[in-house]
Amino acid sequence: MKLRTRMLSSVLAVAAAALPLSAVAETPPNVMVMAWNIDAISTFDPAQVGEVVTIEMLSNTCDRLMEYAPEDETNILPGLAESYEVSEDGTTLTFKIREGLTFPSGNPATAQEMMWSLHRVLNVGLGAAAALTEYGFTAENAAERITAPDDTTLVMQFDQAYPTSLVLQAIAAYPVATMLDRDTIMENEVDGDLGNQYLATRTECVGPYHLARWNPGEVVILERNEDYWGEAPGMQTILIRHVAEAGTQRLMLTSGDIDVARDLTPEDIADVSAMEGIEVATTLKPQLTYLALNNEFGPFTDPNVRLALRYLLDYDAMGDSFLRNIGVIRQSPVQLGAFGALSEDEGRPFALDTDRARELLTEAGIDEGTNISLILGTHPYSMPIGQHFQENAAAVGLNVSVERMANAQLFSRVRGREFEMAVMSWQTSVGDAHGMASRQIYNPDNAAEAQLTQYPSWRSAYFSEEYNQRVMEALLEPDVDTREELYRQLQLDQMQEGPQVFMFQTSQNVAYRTALQGWTAHGFKAFYNMVSK
């Protein structure tokens, strides 16, 4: 009871600073209170974000050029752009920006600000710039190829004819296509950073909500924008409380102290599903969880070693225990549901086989007693995965040490290539095999100084000219059937020699009290604006 009292007191103390909470056993009628492990947040700058939690929050505070349809994640709808046109040669996209848009500051929001915002992503040059550079845009050519001839027209000229559906998902519906308040941001620029420090704790964009507060490791509070151009959101406030422990989230949900829990264990999900007044919404996310291998670490330079590790996991046992209800086994680098993805059966050829693993390690010259360091974060499944792998690795003579840390620290270590092995997840923004292939396989520059932190391939120091060419060949193949076959073979080959050990595709389980109506989410977005009580 002391633990519950301390947690409840903490939640109410934070909320009380901004909200008129008066009840303990229920949340206010105009507030959605959500418990989530959000310790991965490091910034709200669209030019820098790469964390799933931050991207979800930005998608509810900052409209993009195009938006995913709530009822169908394969359908892209108008957003800040009310329409678009494609040139006959497929190399130019022209967006018609809505008239009369304004930022919360009152400044006008036009195609000029959208152009500046896209230029800014490239000029800041942080991880999110990869969403533009992989389609030929650079800081040097942006002024020529991303233009706004007037206040309602944005023109993007590509270097090649990429699939339009892919570009709409990968750019127009992605955080880089966030229209920022240029005047406000530049008034707060520090040492030429184009507002990067300022935007670490603010959202200066057009959207249904704005960031009112972020206390790292504690809470995020979003407040409704009263002058929003679209339909007004049902909730005045979205309060997202950092709660890392699944057990505490469950207690808060069942006692009525929160409306939504995001990180429950498989056992919790099974239990609360049977409770009156609680619903569970489950969707398969375009997110893969894997053992990231630093390919600069001695043993992992050999593809036989990387293959051996795939035989040191009992996938069925994991799926029946600590992964039950939170994912499906997936050993391919492309998620189920994407164009070009292998079938469920073809995408999981491996099973626990210590004899085969030992044989491959022997062929690679790996001695018994070899030490490997495995780092992981605070997700409920991370430590069970680590312990499971540690036990099976010991059976073939590998000594695996496991270290747990906060997610923000884990991401920093992996992005700095300061690891040997890590339990990681990566979520793509597109329902196309290129989404994963362009990050997990393709690596445009493996140099340490390149700092391509939003490429898991770069983080793992994996570079293959052959596979780079194959990824680009598949991307640009105009024949749909041929393109699909190219992705199929790419996955089959990568499962044998690729840089990561893919384990499962994540299911998103959201448990919520039935007093909350309209919870809507799919693999690419959760729609806070559709919620009401």
Side-chain angles (χ1 to χ4, degrees):
M1 289 297 293
K2 290 183 178 180
L3 173 61
R4 179 180 182 278
T5 302
R6 286 198 299 270
M7 288 300 305
L8 181 57
S9 298
S10 177
V11 172
L12 294 181
V14 172
L19 304 171
L21 297 182
S22 58
V24 172
E26 63 180 21
T27 59
N30 61 344
V31 181
M32 180 176 78
V33 183
M34 181 160 59
W36 201 4
N37 183 343
I38 57 173
D39 68 358
I41 298 174
S42 59
T43 180
F44 284 85
D45 186 346
Q48 188 174 357
V49 295
E51 299 79 19
V52 171
V53 293
T54 323
I55 288 175
E56 178 175 305
M57 293 174 198
L58 276 179
S59 74
N60 285 281
T61 54
C62 299
D63 290 349
R64 290 110 183 239
L65 280 171
M66 306 294 289
E67 299 285 351
Y68 283 99
E71 70 284 354
D72 181 4
E73 64 185 49
T74 66
N75 189 17
I76 301 295
L77 301 177
L80 295 174
E82 60 186 12
S83 63
Y84 68 91
E85 294 181 355
V86 185
S87 63
E88 288 187 11
D89 64 1
T91 63
T92 303
L93 270 175
T94 301
F95 295 94
K96 177 69 172 178
I97 305 299
R98 296 180 188 276
E99 296 186 34
L101 298 175
T102 59
F103 295 109
S105 66
N107 292 332
T110 72
Q112 306 297 327
E113 281 68 44
M114 188 74 254
M115 175 188 69
W116 179 83
S117 300
L118 289 166
H119 290 180
R120 177 184 176 276
V121 170
L122 292 162
N123 289 325
V124 170
L126 295 172
L132 294 170
T133 58
E134 73 172 298
Y135 295 100
F137 296 108
T138 66
E140 292 71 28
N141 68 27
E144 177 184 355
R145 293 176 49 194
I146 302 177
T147 59
D150 57 55
D151 284 350
T152 62
T153 306
L154 178 79
V155 181
M156 301 185 73
Q157 295 180 307
F158 295 84
D159 60 341
Q160 301 184 69
Y162 300 102
T164 300
S165 61
L166 175 61
V167 169
L168 290 177
Q169 296 175 68
I171 297 178
Y174 195 61
V176 293
T178 295
M179 184 189 295
L180 296 174
D181 187 341
R182 171 172 47 179
D183 290 345
T184 298
I185 290 170
M186 293 307 292
E187 287 172 1
N188 293 278
E189 183 183 40
V190 177
D191 297 328
D193 72 345
L194 295 175
N196 178 246
Q197 293 184 48
Y198 179 76
L199 288 174
T201 57
R202 298 170 180 84
T203 53
E204 297 290 355
C205 51
V206 176
Y209 290 95
H210 68 272
L211 176 63
R213 180 188 299 185
W214 169 42
N215 293 349
E218 294 182 3
V219 70
V220 169
I221 298 176
L222 309 180
E223 291 287 351
R224 184 168 60 200
N225 283 330
E226 299 301 338
D227 296 325
Y228 179 54
W229 68 269
E231 184 176 349
M235 295 284 96
Q236 172 68 38
T237 304
I238 308 296
L239 190 152
I240 305 168
R241 180 74 171 94
H242 172 60
V243 182
E245 300 80 13
T248 306
Q249 288 193 21
R250 172 177 171 165
L251 182 60
M252 296 170 72
L253 180 70
T254 55
S255 63
D257 297 327
I258 61 173
D259 300 302
V260 183
R262 297 295 294 268
D263 298 297
L264 300 186
T265 66
E267 292 76 14
D268 291 330
I269 291 295
D271 289 346
V272 301
S273 295
M275 294 182 181
E276 185 177 353
I278 295 178
E279 295 284 345
V280 175
T282 301
T283 56
L284 195 61
K285 298 172 64 176
Q287 181 184 65
L288 298 174
T289 297
Y290 56 96
L291 296 177
L293 311 179
N294 188 335
N295 285 236
E296 289 184 330
F297 173 60
F300 298 157
T301 61
D302 192 320
N304 273 343
V305 176
R306 303 196 295 264
L307 180 59
L309 302 189
R310 290 166 164 81
Y311 290 103
L312 293 179
L313 293 164
D314 190 336
Y315 302 92
D316 288 333
M318 292 194 299
D320 291 338
S321 56
F322 54 83
L323 297 184
R324 183 170 53 89
N325 294 333
I326 64 171
V328 296
I329 300 303
R330 187 66 174 168
Q331 298 161 354
S332 163
V334 174
Q335 81 276 12
L336 286 167
F339 169 83
L342 293 175
S343 68
E344 187 169 357
D345 289 340
E346 199 170 20
R348 54 166 302 175
F350 302 107
L352 178 65
D353 188 339
T354 54
D355 289 338
R356 178 59 177 150
R358 187 180 292 106
E359 177 184 337
L360 288 164
L361 292 171
T362 300
E363 290 178 10
I366 304 301
D367 298 327
E368 287 203 17
T370 295
N371 296 316
I372 300 175
S373 169
L374 172 63
I375 60 175
L376 45 82
T378 56
H379 293 300
Y381 54 76
S382 294
M383 183 56 76
I385 287 175
Q387 293 171 336
H388 176 83
F389 178 78
Q390 182 184 50
E391 180 180 345
N392 291 326
V396 297
L398 299 178
N399 297 326
V400 178
S401 63
V402 179
E403 180 184 1
R404 189 176 190 234
M405 59 190 64
N407 288 333
Q409 183 183 359
L410 172 71
F411 296 164
S412 178
R413 288 273 299 274
V414 172
R415 289 170 183 169
R417 291 180 169 179
E418 298 172 357
F419 75 105
E420 295 174 4
M421 177 183 287
V423 176
M424 294 294 293
S425 295
W426 180 261
Q427 181 166 315
T428 181
S429 63
V430 300
D432 187 292
H434 182 71
M436 285 295 185
S438 65
R439 294 296 188 273
Q440 294 287 0
I441 303 172
Y442 186 83
N443 181 356
D445 186 349
N446 199 42
E449 57 269 20
Q451 288 295 300
L452 302 181
T453 58
Q454 292 307 307
Y455 283 82
S457 54
W458 180 90
R459 298 176 186 176
S460 291
Y462 174 77
F463 181 85
S464 167
E465 189 61 49
E466 174 197 346
Y467 278 107
N468 277 358
Q469 293 175 1
R470 290 175 62 178
V471 169
M472 293 307 296
E473 179 187 3
L475 170 63
L476 299 173
E477 172 56 51
D479 182 78
V480 173
D481 292 339
T482 302
R483 185 168 182 254
E484 191 169 26
E485 178 56 30
L486 289 172
Y487 283 127
R488 177 180 178 277
Q489 195 59 53
L490 193 64
Q491 292 166 80
L492 293 174
D493 293 345
Q494 277 283 302
M495 285 192 293
Q496 297 297 314
E497 56 190 81
Q500 325 285 22
V501 177
F502 292 94
M503 296 179 290
F504 71 98
Q505 183 172 343
T506 309
S507 292
Q508 176 176 268
N509 290 301
V510 178
Y512 60 93
R513 300 190 66 83
T514 53
L516 188 75
Q517 300 174 1
W519 175 267
T520 304
H522 51 57
F524 295 105
K525 184 176 178 179
F527 297 81
Y528 300 170
N529 59 313
M530 299 182 69
V531 172
S532 63
K533 290 184 180 178

